[in-house]
Amino acid sequence: MGFSFVKHLLVVLISFWVFADPAFAKHGGITRHYKFDVRMQNVTRLCQTKSIVTVNGQLPGPQITAREGDRVIIKVVNHVQYNLTVHWHGVRQLRSGWADGPAYVTQCPIQTGQSYVYNFTVTGQRGTLFWHAHISWLRVTVYGPIVILPKRGVPYPFPQPYKEVPIIFGEWWKTDTEILINQAMQTGLAPNVSDAFTINGLPGHLYNCSAKDTFKLKVKPGKTYLLRLINAALNDELFFSIANHSLTVVEADAVYTKPFKTDTVLITPGQTTNVLLKTKRHSPNATFLMAARPYATGPAAFDNTTTAGILEYHLPSPVPKSNKNKIHLPLLKPSLPIFNDTTFAANFNKRVRSLATPNFPANVPQKIGRRFFFTVGLGIMGCPQSQTCQGPNNTRVAAAVNNVSFVMPTTALLQAHFFNQNNGVYTTDFPANPPFNFNYTGTPPANIMVSSGTKVVVLPFNTSVELVLQDTSIIGAESHPLHLHGFNFFIVGQGIGNFDPKKDPAKFNLVDPAERNTVGVPSGGWIAIRFLADNPGVWFMHCHLEVHTSWGLKMAWIVQDGKGRKQKLPPPPSDLPKC
């Protein structure tokens, strides 16, 4: 009896150990379970304590780790006063659109005291992504890394790093950001800019009262570190650099790239970038600042501050421990581009190219089924009758795609589509082109009013799409990081000024373009992307500057079911939240 009990216990322990250890992921993948308790937490930054929304009381939130091919099940329980959803940013969600997460697009939000189980399989992806809240401005503190490791036994296409370190950029306000954006939407003006940026939740010693709140990366000499950079900031693209060290970019948005060296990385909100950091052969007599500050091209005010962490070498062992604390090494600072360096931005983005090897091909759509031309930018709208707005002639600032400022429905689009109940929820007449032609990057037209509506584009399954995104100079030219849910896309072309449909396509790169899920539409310029609509469902596309999303710079694509069983979206899970 005693022996059989011990034997049974051993079997249970061994099986638990196998399934809990990522190293034992089988080729077909394993199932990984996570629980996210969304709760308020008192956090002190910049000498001020405030109550913030967190997952499991952490900032940043917990890391999701999986291997390519694994199934991930995350139970999200909402203990806060806000309705909430979580988006798994960059995860393809093949036939699992119910788990994508944007509120009122693929689901109604999880209400206070309720829960929802997000269930998806990581298919054909490996690298760094991240998760974040996807309703109002709650993602300001509700975010964390997703690390997808290659299948067991499959190496990286670059030197195996000694250690891997997530570096997540965030943004911090002293005030309550929900009150901030709600007031801004009432007045029709821009909300106040942030008070600080953060690295792994810490502002760094360049801010008042933040010396103790500084991220430190301790490294050994002569080693290669993989830094998994994630921009989870709300409203700012960022330059990042480490003093006296160069970085090698090897991946962008969980897609391997041709490696290239750079002193500075540009990363927009919604983007991830993996870089290799090769440390110096011998411990130098210095410490090194790693710093991030904004790339800002628009007319509006921005948070012109710098977040900093410290790269510190382990001192050689002969130094007695008692002396280590007394050694004050000089702190070297990196030089970052000026805040509006559009030339650096264009050159950096052009260097990001797909590997395009037999193992990691770039499957760029060559024949195009549908072409679209979308303007993205700002404008103004009339003030709602119940409000007084502080813009010119009682107007408010708005943002739009093809002059349509998107109005969020009160029912989730995916439910309405799946159950054929779209009447009064959305219309399928989103314009394929701007309502009228004008000099998009020149003198703006006299009338800069935008229209509004809940309009979508419907695509038959497996349509090859080419989309040109054109910035406008209305109110002011600005870089817009556009994020597409449910797909990666290939960035086949980019340029400054107005897109020329006669000349520009001849210069498209259809061989090894960057493959991403978020792209910065250049300030006063355009970007051309291609993707294959092979994922049935409703897929949000929006600017990842949260203030522009709030103002309406968003739209949705409906991809219809295909004919085959594996080309159809399954029915929703039984616990899908109700509106």
Side-chain angles (χ1 to χ4, degrees):
M1 181 74 178
F3 175 76
S4 66
F5 173 75
V6 170
K7 188 177 167 190
H8 175 72
L9 187 65
L10 275 171
V11 168
V12 169
L13 284 172
I14 287 167
S15 61
F16 172 78
W17 174 62
V18 166
F19 282 99
D21 188 340
F24 279 81
K26 295 280 183 282
H27 298 295
I30 61 168
T31 300
R32 296 167 187 265
H33 293 267
Y34 290 88
K35 188 173 182 208
F36 278 17
D37 279 304
V38 181
R39 58 174 189 254
M40 303 305 290
Q41 182 77 30
N42 280 347
V43 173
T44 304
R45 296 287 184 273
L46 311 177
C47 268
Q48 210 166 304
T49 302
K50 74 170 187 172
S51 187
I52 63 168
V53 184
T54 67
V55 168
N56 301 351
Q58 296 169 235
L59 177 72
Q63 177 170 307
I64 297 279
T65 305
R67 282 196 187 277
E68 181 184 343
D70 284 354
R71 185 177 174 198
V72 183
I73 294 176
I74 304 124
K75 183 175 186 178
V76 177
V77 187
N78 185 4
H79 304 281
V80 303
Q81 71 266 38
Y82 307 106
N83 291 345
L84 178 123
T85 67
V86 181
H87 169 52
W88 318 95
H89 182 113
V91 174
R92 282 285 323 263
Q93 299 293 2
L94 285 161
R95 297 176 63 244
S96 57
W98 303 107
D100 190 41
Y104 302 107
V105 178
T106 59
Q107 68 169 100
C108 301
I110 307 163
Q111 296 180 23
T112 306
Q114 303 292 310
S115 66
Y116 180 47
V117 176
Y118 291 92
N119 182 344
F120 55 86
T121 299
V122 179
T123 307
Q125 291 183 280
R126 77 298 301 163
T128 305
L129 296 168
F130 72 119
W131 57 265
H132 60 78
H134 211 304
I135 186 167
S136 188
W137 277 27
L138 292 183
R139 76 175 180 86
V140 68
T141 53
V142 180
Y143 61 85
I146 299 175
V147 173
I148 306 165
L149 301 168
K151 287 184 177 177
R152 188 112 191 93
V154 177
Y156 293 130
F158 47 80
Q160 178 70 27
Y162 169 71
K163 198 174 175 189
E164 302 182 6
V165 184
I167 296 205
I168 312 174
F169 304 109
E171 207 161 354
W172 184 266
W173 276 258
K174 290 179 182 176
T175 54
D176 182 316
T177 41
E178 288 304 286
I179 293 171
L180 182 78
I181 184 57
N182 290 337
Q183 284 177 344
M185 295 304 283
Q186 286 292 317
T187 62
L189 297 179
N192 287 346
V193 300
S194 54
D195 296 294
F197 298 103
T198 57
I199 294 175
N200 292 345
L202 302 169
H205 72 281
L206 299 179
Y207 294 99
N208 278 348
C209 197
S210 300
K212 67 180 192 318
D213 293 327
T214 301
F215 173 70
K216 284 189 178 173
L217 176 58
K218 293 200 168 178
V219 296
K220 291 183 176 177
K223 302 285 187 190
T224 298
Y225 291 77
L226 179 68
L227 307 184
R228 297 178 176 271
L229 309 179
I230 298 166
N231 189 348
L234 250 66
N235 294 318
D236 291 271
E237 304 185 33
L238 294 168
F239 293 120
F240 172 73
S241 185
I242 302 176
N244 289 39
H245 289 73
S246 72
L247 304 167
T248 303
V249 175
V250 291
E251 182 200 296
D253 292 2
V255 179
Y256 296 134
T257 64
K258 289 184 169 69
F260 69 91
K261 277 193 171 180
T262 182
D263 292 334
T264 302
V265 170
L266 172 62
I267 185 166
T268 80
Q271 287 185 338
T272 60
T273 307
N274 279 6
V275 297
L276 295 177
L277 165 69
K278 209 164 192 286
T279 57
K280 298 181 185 301
R281 287 180 60 192
H282 305 289
S283 288
N285 290 321
T287 52
F288 304 90
L289 210 63
M290 51 173 94
R293 74 170 184 221
Y295 167 54
T297 54
F302 65 97
D303 176 356
N304 194 13
T305 63
T306 303
T307 180
I310 293 172
L311 182 77
E312 210 172 77
Y313 279 75
H314 285 281
L315 289 169
S317 46
V319 179
K321 273 190 179 174
S322 56
N323 291 348
K324 278 190 180 179
N325 296 332
K326 296 174 188 170
I327 295 172
H328 289 290
L329 298 173
L331 180 61
L332 304 181
K333 296 179 181 179
S335 65
L336 288 155
I338 57 166
F339 73 90
N340 59 355
D341 193 339
T342 52
T343 306
F344 177 91
N347 290 338
F348 180 85
N349 288 328
K350 280 176 185 159
R351 295 179 75 192
V352 182
R353 309 278 277 272
S354 288
L355 266 185
T357 62
N359 284 344
F360 303 103
N363 296 317
V364 188
Q366 301 292 322
K367 289 183 178 173
I368 298 303
R370 295 281 305 274
R371 284 188 163 83
F372 298 88
F373 180 84
F374 289 180
T375 54
V376 292
L378 305 180
I380 55 173
M381 283 181 85
C383 197
Q385 287 185 341
S386 56
Q387 284 174 232
T388 305
C389 294
Q390 292 172 23
N393 301 321
N394 197 33
T395 57
R396 62 190 178 98
V397 185
V401 182
N402 272 355
N403 217 50
V404 179
S405 187
F406 192 85
V407 177
M408 296 308 284
T410 51
T411 304
L413 298 175
L414 185 56
Q415 273 169 291
H417 160 66
F418 189 85
F419 295 108
N420 289 317
Q421 295 170 340
N422 59 316
N423 258 357
V425 180
Y426 65 84
T427 58
T428 57
D429 57 344
F430 190 91
N433 294 285
F436 57 92
N437 294 334
F438 61 98
N439 182 0
Y440 306 113
T441 54
T443 306
N447 179 5
I448 59 167
M449 295 287 279
V450 301
S451 64
S452 63
T454 310
K455 297 172 187 281
V456 304
V457 173
V458 178
L459 295 170
F461 183 80
N462 255 1
T463 304
S464 293
V465 175
E466 181 177 285
L467 167 62
V468 175
L469 294 159
Q470 171 75 60
D471 183 37
T472 77
S473 56
I474 295 173
I475 297 185
E478 187 166 1
S479 175
H480 296 279
L482 259 285
H483 171 50
L484 175 61
H485 289 230
F487 301 94
N488 282 346
F489 49 74
F490 293 95
I491 304 162
V492 296
Q494 59 183 314
I496 297 300
N498 298 340
F499 174 71
D500 185 334
K502 291 190 177 72
K503 292 180 185 169
D504 288 325
K507 300 177 221 155
F508 284 178
N509 174 7
L510 305 180
V511 178
D512 63 349
E515 181 184 350
R516 306 200 74 138
N517 64 59
T518 304
V519 60
V521 178
S523 177
W526 56 271
I527 209 107
I529 66 172
R530 288 186 177 187
F531 66 96
L532 181 66
D534 60 353
N535 195 5
V538 178
W539 305 108
F540 207 22
M541 189 176 84
H542 59 95
C543 183
H544 222 277
L545 303 179
E546 213 57 42
V547 64
H548 291 175
T549 304
S550 300
W551 287 341
L553 210 164
K554 48 195 172 186
M555 56 81 67
W557 306 83
I558 291 182
V559 178
Q560 294 173 320
D561 281 350
K563 292 195 172 90
R565 188 178 61 82
K566 292 200 169 175
Q567 299 177 342
K568 296 182 195 303
L569 179 70
S574 57
D575 65 337
L576 186 75
K578 293 177 171 55
C579 282

